[in-house]
Amino acid sequence: VAEFANDSISPIAAAPLVRHRLGRLGSFTAQAAGAARRLADDAQHMAELVETLVEQLTIIVRETPVGDRRSARRLAFHAACTLATATRSYPARTIDVSLNGALVSVGEARPFLPGQPIRLTLPEVPAIMGSIAGISGQGIHIVFDLGHSVNRDAAGPLMRMLRALQRHDETLVARTDGLAREIRTALERGVAEGSISQAAMHAHEYEPIPETEPPRYFHPAAEFLAEQIAPFVGGMADRAPDIGYAAVIDRSGFVAILAERRDMHEHVEPGRDGERLHVGMIRQDPQGRRHARNLRPYLAHNLRARGAILRVVSAPIFIGGRHWGCAEIAFRLRDGPDATNDQEIGMLFEK
């Protein structure tokens, strides 16, 4: 008021003028804040649409055969391997393997060049001669010809390994896929009926549960999940003694539902705390994050828990075409090629 007042306007007369202009400034500020909120909401909605578009395009690309690497069924086989050039060998890890190529992760990619001859040695398979088809952020893309005489010794063991793993997992994958379909149907019905909202289902911020160690959280749709989904998941685990646990996990790794069977004959209570997973926890292990964010039809790996081998299989769940998370089942294994001490060996199916 003192700054606004002058020789012709006294401070008393200037005060209402100043208040009027401050009031207008306040209304302009409120309008700007409202516009900013609308812009933020629009930006968030656009980000979700772009994310959904990327996911759908990724699925389309992965399901469309393009060249030899896509025409053959691939298995993501996570195990130690060796890449050898003409001068030295490098320790590496396989990401996926097919009958005519492999994707391999190696610590240092600089020594490798596209077109370079390479020797790939997989677990229990003779060395395979091939060449580098390309190098990407995923790893070293290798192609090879099992019909070539140089790969004669490796062709039989590699084909037997892939066929055995595929046959062994087909039933487990079908059961997990059935659980994922049932959960997707229930979630989409809940959204359509208004029992839950898309925003609550796709929330990425969770309210912490006080005094929990390790930290646990509430899910915005926890009540709906507990009433509509948990009894079904628990009933499935209760009826199948070969299930170690069944879980529903969103794409952030949040364990929304867990039905765990510690003993073959015990009754399963969904949501009870387990030794390895807890309802409300956010999984931080690399394999758990892979399962939660996986867009491919199936993902599986081996886990050694309480002296037994568990085959952990997951299938993605989509709500309205947008990826939400996964259904995950851990099956007890008694025999077959998966009975191994290496808990990191796993594989990934693609239709």
Side-chain angles (χ1 to χ4, degrees):
V1 170
E3 291 292 332
F4 193 82
N6 53 43
D7 295 338
S8 59
I9 302 177
S10 66
I12 296 176
L17 297 175
V18 171
R19 283 196 297 272
H20 172 70
R21 297 193 178 190
L22 288 177
R24 293 186 63 191
L25 180 61
S27 65
F28 292 151
T29 302
Q31 292 176 21
R37 284 193 295 271
R38 289 192 297 273
L39 284 171
D41 292 342
D42 290 344
Q44 178 64 29
H45 182 58
M46 291 176 64
E48 293 173 355
L49 292 176
V50 170
E51 183 179 8
T52 301
L53 178 62
V54 169
E55 292 172 352
Q56 295 301 313
L57 288 175
T58 302
I59 292 170
I60 292 172
V61 168
R62 284 173 172 163
E63 292 182 350
T64 304
V66 179
D68 290 340
R69 284 285 292 134
R70 291 295 180 185
S71 63
R73 174 172 291 191
R74 299 190 299 150
L75 299 173
F77 188 72
H78 306 287
C81 68
T82 302
L83 280 184
T85 63
T87 56
R88 60 168 293 185
S89 297
Y90 299 85
R93 299 195 69 82
T94 54
I95 297 177
D96 68 55
V97 181
S98 73
L99 291 176
N100 50 22
L103 176 59
V104 177
S105 173
V106 65
E108 180 58 64
R110 282 187 298 179
F112 303 97
L113 298 172
Q116 182 180 15
I118 203 77
R119 185 171 67 254
L120 172 66
T121 304
L122 299 169
E124 301 181 6
V125 176
I128 303 172
M129 297 300 299
S131 61
I132 297 178
I135 301 172
S136 69
Q138 295 178 291
I140 309 295
H141 300 259
I142 300 170
V143 293
F144 47 77
D145 180 9
L146 292 182
H148 197 283
S149 59
V150 73
N151 291 325
R152 181 187 303 110
D153 295 337
L158 179 61
M159 287 190 286
R160 285 194 297 271
M161 179 188 73
L162 297 182
R163 291 196 191 106
L165 290 171
Q166 286 175 328
R167 286 196 302 269
H168 196 265
D169 270 16
E170 282 178 354
T171 302
L172 308 185
V173 166
R175 293 167 66 184
T176 307
D177 191 49
L179 175 61
R181 288 199 303 269
E182 292 289 342
I183 294 172
R184 181 195 66 196
T185 300
L187 295 179
E188 289 186 336
R189 185 189 304 119
V191 172
E193 294 175 348
S195 303
I196 51 174
S197 66
Q198 282 273 17
M201 289 307 305
H202 290 285
H204 299 296
E205 295 182 2
Y206 314 100
E207 181 183 352
I209 300 176
E211 300 179 358
T212 55
E213 185 60 38
R216 295 168 61 194
Y217 305 86
F218 291 110
H219 194 281
E223 184 176 350
F224 177 87
L225 293 168
E227 292 180 357
Q228 302 294 327
I229 309 296
F232 174 79
V233 176
M236 178 179 181
D238 208 19
R239 292 188 300 270
D242 65 331
I243 291 181
Y245 72 82
V248 179
I249 305 168
D250 75 7
R251 66 178 288 110
S252 297
F254 180 91
V255 183
I257 298 169
L258 171 68
E260 185 175 31
R261 181 193 295 276
R262 304 188 190 204
D263 182 80
M264 298 286 283
H265 306 289
E266 74 171 339
H267 176 65
V268 173
E269 292 290 345
R272 189 186 67 181
D273 288 351
E275 292 182 5
R276 195 177 71 86
L277 288 175
H278 299 266
V279 173
M281 286 189 64
I282 298 178
R283 298 178 66 175
Q284 302 294 340
D285 58 294
Q287 283 289 4
R289 305 292 285 187
R290 280 178 59 85
H291 281 269
R293 301 186 67 86
N294 173 50
L295 298 177
R296 306 189 188 200
Y298 319 110
L299 181 62
H301 76 283
N302 282 355
L303 173 73
R304 179 173 289 278
R306 297 188 293 277
I309 291 291
L310 297 177
R311 186 66 166 165
V312 182
V313 183
S314 70
I317 299 173
F318 295 85
I319 303 178
R322 183 180 174 195
H323 183 238
W324 178 79
C326 74
E328 182 177 283
I329 302 179
F331 299 94
R332 289 185 174 90
L333 300 180
R334 297 181 179 85
D335 52 18
D338 295 313
T340 173
N341 292 328
D342 186 358
Q343 65 180 18
E344 297 186 13
I345 288 181
M347 66 179 179
L348 172 70
F349 283 97
E350 273 198 3
K351 288 182 179 178

